[in-house]
Amino acid sequence: MSFTIHGIGVSGGIAIGHAHLVSHSKLEVARYEIPVDQTAEECARFDLAVQAVHGELDQLRSSVPVGAPAEFAAFIDLHLMILNDSTLSAAPRTIIETERCNAEWALKIQTDELLQQFDAIEDSYLRERRADVIQVAQRVMKALSGQPGYMPPPSGDSNRNLVLVAHDLSPADVVLFKQHQFASFVTDLGGATSHTAIVARSLNIPCIVALHHARQLVRENEIIIVDGSQGVIIVDPDPQVLAEYQLRQREFGLERQKLRRLRDTPARTLDGTDIELYANIELPGDVALAVDSGATGIGLFRTEFLYLNRTDLPDEDEQFEAYRRVMEEMEGQPVTIRTYDLGADKQIDDIARLAPNPALGLRAIRLCLTEPKRFITQLRAMLRASRYGKMKILIPMLMNASEVDQALLLLEQAKRSLDDEGITYDRSIPVGGMVEIPAAALALGLLTKRLDFLSVGTNDLIQYLLAIDRTDDTVAHLYDPLHPAVLTLLAHIFTTAAKAKIPVAVCGEMAGDVTLTRLLLGLGLRQLSMHSAHLPEVKQRVLKTSLADSQPITRRMLRTTDPVKLRNLLDKLNG
Ligand code: PEP
Ligand code: MG
């Protein structure tokens, strides 16, 4: 029977494919009694789950993306080693036999026992392997319940498009999709500016989040239409609807092809103002798409993605190679590299250290300043790569003067250590700050007096200004870039930066939303950084924009607090 579910479309376009269900939610474990004559069967069920995880890990290992850090494969090998160890693969069998309990319970008992032993270990490296044990045990647990604990690549049959249906996905999961040609993915949880959604956009496939019950209602292999622009999925569509969407899908593809012709056209308004359109990337492999989209620079390299999907940290040389690759491939065009914004929804260790309010906790620069050694390693890697092009360093989540001063001090320290070793770098490398905490936006002088440029992270700025957790689907409908407070604050940032003669960009998702392009230009913005997939459409809008016509309307928008009037004015602006 055909039915539709509405969510939040986070990446436009239409996909039509077969549903493939995956689960990433935490599992509850119940204990139940197994009759003595069935314990052998229960042991066999456990063995099968272990074998299945073995298969998953082997497959995962063989699908490690080309160019992925070497540690990636090492991390999978470590998990295979843990799985093969008898303490995890054999001991639960004994528990099933002696306690006559279900396999899940036996696995839980044994894992708890192992974790206790880890807690007692003095060696910090070994103690950190605790998280790996948990991850492997969770995979076996999922296999026991018939839910795969990884994202299998689509089958070799290229006609069989797969739409991944998940309850929730982490940004780290989604970044792995970059090598898998899924037609689309949809999730029950997540907000429009969650990092999961952001990475989805960079994949350039239609995606929808906040569907609430899709994982429950959709069955494996059912045909699904995903309309990413409207934020709706149509499950088991009837033939007429299917034909209609196939037509729309073709039209969408043609439109994209047309936009590609603008690649080398400079982004200039009708009244002759040049606008810089840069790309946001997560990994060095994204640069090709950025160049292809016509981006004239990288406005945001979210380097924290180099730290995800692994158990150890990337060392200085590995980071240097990653940054150098981006610099070289951009051939002298500006590259803004952000120091790692780990924490909140991008945890290195996703099991532990979950703060009560992670978005308000130890993330980004706050985390960097608590781990100066790790921060300096990254700064040294960046500085070393700076001589391969035009690099700028961007610091996320700055809130007060002391954070800026401390960060600059550590940068000086990194420079001195390179000087001591006779290693060259760009001595006048510009350092900028992200404006994403309302306090920093309101007291912008704290940043303009100390830094060379600013980049507005509207995703976080809106999250903190409107008090809506960007990862929480239950408040996702409250995300409102047109809220009068957002517009007033943006106007304040742009004018204050202009007065201070400090260049300012927007690199949050607002920059890639074509319905907001004229508004941002009208408010005074001249540099926008977005995912490559959005760039051609935004450029087309810039080419058709007259600043002289837009500014009076945006000024009126700043004077009204009535949401209906604001919408009408925006329509007029875009009309
Ligand atoms: C932002 O907050 O708008 C931003 C660009 O940074 P991130 O989305 O990575 O938090
Ligand atoms: Mg941010």
Side-chain angles (χ1 to χ4, degrees):
M1 193 193 63
S2 179
F3 62 95
T4 57
I5 315 179
H6 290 263
I8 300 172
V10 294
S11 180
I14 289 161
I16 303 172
H18 292 265
H20 180 57
L21 309 184
V22 294
S23 174
H24 248 234
S25 51
K26 295 230 158 53
L27 296 166
E28 304 268 310
V29 180
R31 184 191 195 285
Y32 55 91
E33 202 74 25
I34 297 289
V36 74
D37 59 339
Q38 285 174 25
T39 52
E41 223 174 281
E42 191 64 6
C43 285
R45 191 166 79 84
F46 176 75
D47 291 345
L48 263 181
V50 171
Q51 269 170 32
V53 173
H54 218 288
E56 283 174 10
L57 289 172
D58 282 342
Q59 204 178 346
L60 195 58
R61 199 181 189 298
S62 59
S63 63
V64 170
V66 183
E71 286 73 8
F72 199 103
F75 148 75
I76 299 166
D77 287 342
L78 174 70
H79 281 204
L80 274 166
M81 207 174 80
I82 294 171
L83 182 70
N84 290 335
D85 196 283
S86 62
T87 50
L88 207 72
S89 60
R93 300 179 99 262
T94 318
I95 300 176
I96 295 171
E97 280 160 356
T98 53
E99 293 196 19
R100 287 192 234 135
C101 64
N102 53 321
E104 289 87 351
W105 187 255
L107 177 61
K108 180 184 165 14
I109 297 287
Q110 180 59 16
T111 311
D112 287 350
E113 164 78 33
L114 276 176
L115 294 181
Q116 265 181 20
Q117 290 172 15
F118 268 90
D119 286 343
I121 293 175
E122 296 265 308
D123 182 305
S124 65
Y125 173 81
L126 284 179
R127 214 173 39 235
E128 275 166 27
R129 301 287 70 81
R130 187 182 191 279
D132 297 290
V133 172
I134 297 175
Q135 283 166 1
V136 175
Q138 278 186 344
R139 275 184 188 275
V140 180
M141 205 66 97
K142 281 175 182 155
L144 279 169
S145 65
Q147 298 168 318
Y150 80 120
M151 311 301 146
S155 67
D157 179 357
S158 57
N159 293 324
R160 211 183 108 91
N161 283 332
L162 287 187
V163 173
L164 218 94
V165 182
H167 184 60
D168 191 16
L169 292 170
S170 72
D173 293 328
V174 181
V175 88
L176 278 181
F177 295 176
K178 292 201 181 212
Q179 296 300 312
H180 297 171
Q181 302 300 311
F182 289 113
S184 166
F185 78 81
V186 299
T187 63
D188 289 341
L189 305 186
T193 61
S194 64
H195 283 101
T196 302
I198 289 172
V199 183
R201 269 174 219 127
S202 75
L203 297 174
N204 208 359
I205 54 174
C207 296
I208 302 179
V209 298
L211 285 161
H212 303 296
H213 303 294
R215 178 67 183 71
Q216 252 175 304
L217 298 176
V218 177
R219 279 171 306 174
E220 179 74 19
N221 214 24
E222 252 175 338
I223 299 255
I224 300 196
I225 297 171
V226 181
D227 183 342
S229 315
Q230 297 301 317
V232 66
I233 63 169
I234 301 156
V235 184
D236 193 18
D238 61 46
Q240 271 157 307
V241 174
L242 191 61
E244 162 75 9
Y245 272 95
Q246 279 162 340
L247 182 71
R248 283 199 215 170
Q249 195 180 26
R250 277 195 297 276
E251 284 169 358
F252 192 83
L254 285 175
E255 194 52 38
R256 273 207 175 151
Q257 266 173 20
K258 261 198 255 164
L259 285 176
R260 278 177 61 87
R261 295 194 207 125
L262 297 178
R263 198 190 109 132
D264 299 320
T265 311
R268 188 169 296 143
T269 63
L270 288 171
D271 28 19
T273 301
D274 284 321
I275 308 297
E276 283 163 302
L277 299 184
Y278 290 173
N280 291 354
I281 61 167
E282 274 84 43
L283 290 170
D286 299 337
V287 174
L289 263 182
V291 172
D292 198 46
S293 72
T296 49
I298 300 296
L300 174 65
F301 177 3
R302 291 183 163 97
T303 59
E304 59 276 8
F305 281 87
L306 296 172
Y307 293 66
L308 302 181
N309 289 319
R310 55 195 293 165
T311 51
D312 59 352
L313 298 171
D315 65 17
E316 184 182 312
D317 283 346
E318 184 189 328
Q319 292 191 59
F320 162 69
E321 290 302 339
Y323 307 146
R324 184 175 70 166
R325 183 175 155 198
V326 174
M327 300 299 290
E328 286 181 342
E329 288 184 22
M330 285 310 289
E331 296 181 342
Q333 288 184 309
V335 175
T336 307
I337 306 197
R338 176 170 83 179
T339 57
Y340 60 81
D341 181 358
L342 288 165
D345 60 339
K346 288 173 293 190
Q347 296 281 342
I348 314 182
D349 170 356
D350 60 0
I351 305 293
R353 292 201 279 134
L354 271 185
N357 283 307
L360 302 179
L362 205 56
R363 64 173 279 204
I365 189 64
R366 302 168 178 188
L367 184 66
C368 294
L369 295 178
T370 63
E371 306 260 8
K373 216 166 134 212
R374 183 161 76 197
F375 189 41
I376 286 185
T377 302
Q378 182 177 43
L379 293 173
R380 277 178 55 102
M382 286 179 174
L383 287 168
R384 281 170 58 193
S386 65
R387 64 190 186 91
Y388 294 89
K390 211 164 145 194
M391 186 191 284
K392 299 181 197 176
I393 294 180
L394 179 63
I395 305 170
M397 293 280 295
L398 290 167
M399 186 269 289
N400 64 23
S402 152
E403 283 171 346
V404 186
D405 294 340
Q406 285 180 70
L408 292 177
L409 216 65
L410 290 171
L411 182 65
E412 277 315 307
Q413 224 171 300
K415 285 182 179 174
R416 265 204 312 277
S417 68
L418 291 177
D419 288 338
D420 292 347
E421 293 165 36
I423 298 173
T424 54
Y425 56 89
D426 176 0
R427 295 195 159 267
S428 52
I429 188 164
V431 184
M434 287 197 70
V435 186
E436 38 190 358
I437 298 182
L442 288 166
L444 205 63
L446 295 176
L447 306 189
T448 53
K449 286 202 179 77
R450 293 170 167 81
L451 296 165
D452 304 310
F453 68 97
L454 299 175
S455 192
V456 187
T458 48
N459 308 331
D460 277 314
L461 190 66
I462 295 175
Q463 155 166 264
Y464 298 126
L465 193 60
L466 305 188
I468 43 155
D469 184 335
R470 59 195 272 201
T471 64
D472 184 347
D473 60 301
T474 61
V475 289
H477 60 288
L478 298 174
Y479 170 78
D480 181 13
L482 284 187
H483 190 291
V486 174
L487 300 186
T488 309
L489 197 54
L490 286 177
H492 164 76
I493 297 168
F494 301 155
T495 359
T496 314
K499 270 191 206 139
K501 297 198 170 48
I502 295 278
V504 62
V506 166
C507 63
E509 296 303 288
M510 273 183 87
D513 182 344
V514 71
T515 65
L516 303 176
T517 306
R518 284 188 182 150
L519 170 63
L520 291 171
L521 299 183
L523 291 176
L525 186 69
R526 297 294 176 261
Q527 197 190 104
L528 294 85
S529 191
M530 66 207 83
H531 272 303
S532 312
H534 295 161
L535 204 142
E537 209 184 352
V538 170
K539 188 191 275 187
Q540 188 186 44
R541 184 60 59 97
V542 169
L543 294 171
K544 292 183 181 167
T545 296
S546 149
L547 291 178
D549 292 346
S550 301
Q551 277 153 348
I553 308 179
T554 48
R555 274 199 293 270
R556 280 174 64 195
M557 289 181 80
L558 282 175
R559 285 196 299 269
T560 178
T561 51
D562 180 333
V564 179
K565 278 194 191 142
L566 274 167
R567 273 278 150 210
N568 291 342
L569 284 167
L570 185 72
D571 288 346
K572 191 167 170 198
L573 192 60
N574 290 328

